[in-house]
Amino acid sequence: MKRSKANDIIQYAIDVMKKAGYPLPPFAYYEKADWEKLGEDEIELVENMLGWDITDFGSGDFDHIGLTIFTFRNGNFWAKDKYPKPYAEKYLLVNDGQILPFHYHWSKMEDIINRGGGDLEITLYNSTEEDFKDVEGGRSGKPGQFADTPVTVTIDGKAVTVPAGGKVVCKPGQSITLKPGQYHQWQGVPGTGDVILFEVSTTNDDTIDNRFHTAGERIPTMEEDVEAKYLMFADYPKYTKFDFIKHD
């Protein structure tokens, strides 16, 4: 992905929130120079991967297959004594018609809340027991497996069961709870507008806890055609004096 495209995507996500009347925290507006002088008192931003995140899932076509993410808060799998927070919160922007490819999480349970804009259509499958247990295979890019079993999710406190590959729609104000091992793909219903989602979940680490069915890389490789304006969490080790907490 070109850096110029990433700059535009983040600026658009900021503008959407301003128009909707949702203020973002100060670090959402930090530019490269702010990150370069980041002090020890804000090391949590780096170590817990807070801030902006963009992905096209290796498609090379962000406008069709992609997602814009801003992480407000998060704990840390690898430093629970230092960061005992057991939850995370994110802003997810799904552009009109944009698709998030099939995936699930091994550890994270999440509530996806439609805070406004368009409708979100979600397609659901359970993973097979073999697929869910094959953690290393999933992380190496081995194709996932859909189970041919009904999927039960909770939508605003109501249990809803659909057949394998069934769809549900979350309109503004509605939310869905997704459990580990539940494959989900979503799309902003074309013609209904951009979808402002908030995600409330258990602590997560997007570098290791996404099991994609067939999608490509989660963290895009950047082509630095222009200077970065707003950084993504993957940029922090390059532009700050801090790094992520390492894990085995």
Side-chain angles (χ1 to χ4, degrees):
M1 180 183 292
K2 290 186 176 181
R3 180 66 69 173
S4 56
K5 176 72 170 178
N7 287 344
D8 290 345
I9 290 168
I10 294 173
Q11 187 62 59
Y12 182 75
I14 289 172
D15 293 342
V16 167
M17 290 294 266
K18 285 182 178 178
K19 184 176 179 180
Y22 286 116
L24 293 168
F27 69 93
Y29 309 104
Y30 282 5
E31 297 189 1
K32 185 168 72 72
D34 299 304
W35 289 103
E36 289 173 337
K37 62 183 181 183
L38 199 75
E40 290 280 351
D41 57 339
E42 292 186 288
I43 194 173
E44 182 174 347
L45 299 180
V46 175
E47 292 191 333
N48 289 359
M49 297 183 284
L50 308 186
W52 293 106
D53 180 16
I54 298 167
T55 180
D56 62 6
F57 304 100
S59 69
D61 185 8
F62 173 86
D63 294 336
H64 182 228
I65 301 174
L67 187 66
T68 307
I69 304 156
F70 181 83
T71 301
F72 293 94
R73 64 201 94 254
N74 195 11
N76 196 298
F77 280 164
W78 316 109
K80 291 183 180 179
D81 290 339
K82 185 175 183 179
Y83 299 117
K85 192 177 293 181
Y87 54 85
E89 181 188 11
K90 298 179 180 181
Y91 154 45
L92 313 175
L93 180 61
V94 182
N95 295 340
D96 192 325
Q98 196 175 38
I99 293 171
L100 171 79
F102 279 112
H103 70 291
Y104 67 75
H105 309 285
W106 284 286
S107 298
K108 182 173 72 170
M109 178 181 288
E110 57 190 342
D111 277 14
I112 304 298
I113 309 155
N114 187 338
R115 291 297 191 195
D119 298 339
L120 188 74
E121 182 182 73
I122 307 167
T123 307
L124 298 162
Y125 286 93
N126 291 317
S127 60
T128 64
E129 184 176 355
E130 177 186 359
D131 186 25
F132 189 73
K133 288 182 177 179
D134 188 14
V135 176
E136 293 308 317
R139 291 175 184 162
S140 68
K142 179 181 176 181
Q145 301 175 33
F146 293 143
D148 187 21
T149 55
V151 185
T152 298
V153 294
T154 304
I155 298 178
D156 297 320
K158 179 180 179 180
V160 176
T161 301
V162 298
K167 301 176 186 292
V168 297
V169 174
C170 284
K171 293 183 174 294
Q174 292 187 299
S175 64
I176 183 171
T177 300
L178 298 167
K179 298 178 182 178
Q182 291 183 325
Y183 272 111
H184 50 286
Q185 172 186 277
W186 68 49
Q187 180 176 26
V189 176
T192 65
D194 297 335
V195 188
I196 298 173
L197 302 178
F198 276 38
E199 175 187 302
V200 177
S201 75
T202 52
T203 298
N204 82 289
D205 184 337
D206 276 333
T207 65
I208 61 163
D209 194 33
N210 292 297
R211 170 46 160 147
F212 289 100
H213 187 256
T214 53
E217 63 181 1
R218 169 64 179 79
I219 309 298
T221 300
M222 300 304 299
E223 178 186 338
E224 305 292 349
D225 62 322
V226 300
E227 185 172 320
K229 183 177 182 182
Y230 304 108
L231 300 187
M232 295 173 285
F233 81 80
D235 295 316
Y236 296 165
K238 178 180 178 181
Y239 290 100
T240 77
K241 56 189 174 186
F242 306 115
D243 201 349
F244 308 134
I245 294 175
K246 304 298 183 181
H247 55 81
D248 296 329

